């Protein structure tokens, strides 16, 4: 049974402007340590690819927060929700801390997809209840 659906579209230029204003502090606020490492590697080799990576993670976390119906308030935080990829490339949501405990206690399961183009990143999340 579907528990919730969330979608988000993010203007990559807005993320870029925030990154220019706040620098690494903004990235550390949004990304987990594992995501930060990927962002750093991509940004070093291909700055625009790193920027789009950051935008897709921002968008996916926003979509997830909408799908679970709590927005960005506890136990949902930027860093308690991680978007990673399986070896196949499929994006998956990995939760940490209180958010993970709450999510599992509810018997929930999440599916995520992300996409990006030059100016936009978009995400779609479906949360199911077992």
């Amino acid at each position: 049974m579907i528990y919730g659906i969330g979608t988000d579209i993010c203007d990559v230029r807005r993320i870029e402007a925030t990154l220019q204003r706040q620098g690494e502090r903004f990235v550390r606020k949004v990304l987990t340590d594992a995501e930060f490492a990927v962002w750093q590697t991509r940004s070093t080799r291909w700055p625009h690819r790193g920027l789009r990576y950051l935008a897709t993670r921002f968008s996916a976390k926003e979509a997830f927060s909408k799908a679970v119906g709590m927005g960005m308030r506890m136990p949902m935080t930027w860093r308690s929700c991680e978007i990673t990829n399986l070896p196949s490339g499929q994006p998956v949501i990995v939760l940490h801390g209180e958010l993970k405990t709450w999510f599992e206690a509810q018997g929930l399961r999440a599916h995520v997809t992300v996409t990006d183009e030059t100016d936009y990143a978009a995400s779609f999340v479906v949360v199911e209840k077992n």
Side-chain angles (χ1 to χ4, degrees):
M1 171 174 83
I2 293 180
Y3 178 87
I5 298 172
T7 189
D8 188 75
I9 187 165
C10 176
D11 190 327
V12 175
R13 296 164 296 192
R14 181 176 145 238
I15 297 294
E16 183 176 31
T18 303
L19 181 59
Q20 288 175 351
R21 274 193 324 275
Q22 297 182 15
E24 193 175 297
R25 190 177 91 221
F26 171 66
V27 180
R28 289 272 185 199
K29 176 183 171 183
V30 173
L31 301 181
T32 64
D33 291 340
E35 290 169 324
F36 182 83
V38 173
W39 172 79
Q40 241 180 347
T41 300
R42 290 184 182 188
S43 294
T44 300
R45 292 189 70 191
W46 309 283
H48 288 290
R49 190 166 173 218
L51 179 62
R52 287 194 300 273
Y53 175 84
L54 177 60
T56 58
R57 272 43 193 177
F58 184 95
S59 175
K61 293 174 187 200
E62 283 279 338
F64 177 80
S65 74
K66 294 171 186 177
V68 294
M70 62 178 58
M72 284 297 175
R73 67 177 199 276
M74 290 302 286
M76 176 64 197
T77 66
W78 291 108
R79 292 176 48 85
S80 64
C81 179
E82 182 174 342
I83 313 302
T84 189
N85 295 85
L86 297 176
S88 66
Q90 177 185 353
V92 293
I93 297 174
V94 177
L95 302 176
H96 304 283
E98 291 178 43
L99 181 59
K100 179 180 181 179
T101 302
W102 173 84
F103 193 78
E104 290 174 353
Q106 303 300 310
L108 301 177
R109 189 169 72 151
H111 308 276
V112 62
T113 187
V114 299
T115 189
D116 64 273
E117 270 303 317
T118 304
D119 294 334
Y120 298 97
S123 301
F124 190 77
V125 174
V126 175
V127 175
E128 295 178 293
K129 186 165 182 82
N130 296 333

